[in-house]
Amino acid sequence: MNGIDSLDVAGKVVLLRSDLNVPLDGTTITDDGRIRASLPTINKLRERGARVLITAHLGRPKGDTYADRVAGGPSLAPVAARLSELLGVPVPLASDVAGDSARAIAAGLADGDVAMLENIRFEPAETSKDDGARAELSGRLAALADLYVGDGFGALHRRHASVYDVPELLPHAAGDLVQAEVAVLGQLEHPSRPYVVVLGGAKPSDKLAVIANLLDKADRILIGGGMSYTFLKAQGYEVGKSLLEADRLEEVGKIMADAAAHGVELVLPVDLVGAVDYAPDAEHQVYPVTAFPADRESLDMGPATRELFAAKLADAATVFWNGPVGVFEFPAFAAGTKAVAEAISELRGLTVVGGGDSAAAVRRLGVPEDRFSHISTGGGASLEYLEGATLPGLAALERS
Ligand code: 3PG
Ligand code: MG
């Protein structure tokens, strides 16, 4: 895969696909990690005299037409404003994706300038399964620029026009973030042992494929958070009103049997924090998994599980962690996720945190980011990489 060094960017308009999909509270950015992670490539291009035109998505705009989506938002305006602050230069935002405003902005760029196109997902064709629809959009995007750099690691698992089709049309390279992410995830193919994986997040269905692929590689898989309740239920425990994927119980049972057959230790919570409902101030109590009440819902793992997970991590030489193990957004239910983050941050081996939510959790809970070897900007993308899947955006960048 070629890097930026393979392109002569001076004086050229470079269409840069970044992943600037940050969490928002209204129009306030609650975690700007993805914007900061995109800065090295942007700065490198600027230093080399490129005219940087950024395309990125934000959220999942709804509506069948471009007009509906623009009306519903979200606009990239808060992201352009934050990027401008971080770079210390103006970052104008086109009022459209690949129309008159985009063309005017592109034509007005001087060497070293940075500008952005509006939310690429305002164009329904961006995410279309119809090759022709995507081709029309990617043609318009490519016409804005001379070169393409793919640096949106977190979106590489999407077969979208700006990720997958545009690099077909322009001389292209992978940005520094994509190269760094791929280098680290590649190291997990041949891990130093013990290799311990911690998986959390809402649903087992998102993680079954990665667990299956990890059975040949990991020594221990610790399962917490929303997905763990389906595992506990499959073992016959009461999980009350906790998150459950009832239609996955059979598959989950099978994966537990496969893990045992592979000699992979699968570790589940032994106690849970049961709340009366899903609310930041919900009345709550710790219960062993053997005695969880039918009318409660678990929002975090309990103290015995925090200790158990820390003990199972203590000797790890390699760790991959994806997904919070409790509702860390509510301070009363953040102890489990904080304990996992702290236990991993104590380790000296290769420690990789994957995923927007876990990365945001690390920062929100105040665990220093530099205590981890790598905090990935891609949740879905890093999981699909570890599943052994071909990421469409990576394949596109690898094509010459
Ligand atoms: C992400 O947030 O996971 C990436 O930016 C991709 O976004 P998506 O899941 O909406 O495709
Ligand atoms: Mg996602």
Side-chain angles (χ1 to χ4, degrees):
M1 192 164 55
N2 289 327
I4 293 171
D5 290 345
S6 69
L7 298 176
D8 184 6
V9 300
K12 305 278 175 51
V13 177
V14 175
L15 186 68
L16 173 64
R17 179 45 161 116
S18 300
D19 183 356
L20 305 177
N21 189 26
V22 289
L24 290 175
D25 182 2
T27 55
T28 304
I29 296 169
T30 54
D31 182 78
D32 66 359
R34 278 181 165 156
I35 305 177
R36 286 185 288 109
S38 301
L39 295 175
T41 292
I42 296 169
N43 281 322
K44 184 182 268 190
L45 290 170
R46 292 187 64 213
E47 281 157 17
R48 296 182 181 190
R51 305 171 175 205
V52 185
L53 185 62
I54 299 174
T55 179
H57 73 281
L58 188 59
R60 294 179 177 172
K62 289 187 194 61
D64 292 336
T65 65
Y66 181 86
D68 285 349
R69 291 180 178 209
V70 170
S75 165
L76 274 169
V79 173
R82 181 68 185 134
L83 180 59
S84 168
E85 260 170 41
L86 290 167
L87 290 172
V89 297
V91 178
L93 173 66
S95 63
D96 59 26
V97 173
D100 290 339
S101 171
R103 281 185 285 275
I105 288 257
L109 286 170
D111 297 0
D113 279 357
V114 182
M116 288 184 67
L117 304 176
E118 248 304 1
N119 191 345
I120 182 73
R121 290 190 185 170
F122 285 170
E123 291 275 0
E126 163 71 355
T127 56
S128 174
K129 297 214 182 335
D130 175 14
D131 293 348
R134 289 201 319 279
E136 187 279 325
L137 173 59
S138 54
R140 268 190 288 139
L141 286 166
L144 298 169
D146 305 300
L147 302 168
Y148 176 93
V149 170
D151 206 32
F153 176 76
L156 285 183
H157 59 315
R158 304 294 185 210
R159 188 182 289 265
H160 293 169
S162 68
V163 176
Y164 179 73
D165 300 279
V166 183
E168 185 90 63
L169 303 176
L170 291 172
H172 54 265
D176 289 10
L177 177 63
V178 161
Q179 293 209 316
E181 296 263 16
V182 169
V184 171
L185 293 175
Q187 284 184 57
L188 297 178
E189 299 286 311
H190 307 284
S192 302
R193 298 188 177 284
Y195 176 23
V196 182
V197 175
V198 185
L199 296 175
K203 293 181 291 182
S205 53
D206 293 339
K207 311 273 160 74
L208 288 171
V210 77
I211 296 174
N213 198 44
L214 286 169
L215 294 182
D216 294 329
K217 301 192 176 81
D219 298 292
R220 239 173 258 147
I221 303 179
L222 319 188
I223 294 180
M227 65 182 285
S228 69
Y229 313 130
T230 303
F231 280 78
L232 290 168
K233 179 88 177 174
Q235 291 202 321
Y237 294 114
E238 173 67 63
V239 295
K241 300 185 296 173
S242 307
L243 270 179
L244 184 70
E245 275 193 318
D247 57 337
R248 300 291 177 148
L249 284 167
E250 204 175 306
E251 262 177 280
V252 162
K254 184 175 175 307
I255 208 115
M256 289 194 283
D258 288 351
H262 279 79
V264 175
E265 188 185 359
L266 223 132
V267 182
L268 294 174
V270 293
D271 60 350
L272 300 171
V273 181
V276 291
D277 54 36
Y278 183 90
D281 56 355
E283 194 272 304
H284 57 274
Q285 204 178 307
V286 174
Y287 301 94
V289 294
T290 48
F292 196 82
D295 60 351
R296 294 236 167 185
E297 94 175 83
S298 173
L299 299 186
D300 197 5
M301 52 195 215
T305 307
R306 297 201 293 268
E307 265 181 52
L308 173 67
F309 276 31
K312 296 291 181 185
L313 282 160
D315 66 345
T318 308
V319 174
F320 176 76
W321 171 32
N322 178 292
V325 296
V327 185
F328 76 92
E329 297 89 340
F330 300 160
F333 305 104
T337 302
K338 184 158 196 191
V340 167
E342 281 173 347
I344 297 173
S345 76
E346 301 291 320
L347 302 174
R348 293 183 185 282
L350 176 69
T351 53
V352 181
V353 182
D357 285 351
S358 350
V362 162
R363 289 187 280 265
R364 164 103 63 125
L365 299 173
V367 183
E369 286 177 71
D370 61 4
R371 303 289 295 275
F372 302 88
S373 312
H374 182 73
I375 299 186
S376 175
T377 54
S382 59
L383 281 175
E384 288 197 25
Y385 189 98
L386 292 188
E387 279 169 20
T390 302
L391 307 187
L394 205 52
L397 292 174
E398 279 165 352
R399 273 195 309 251
S400 53

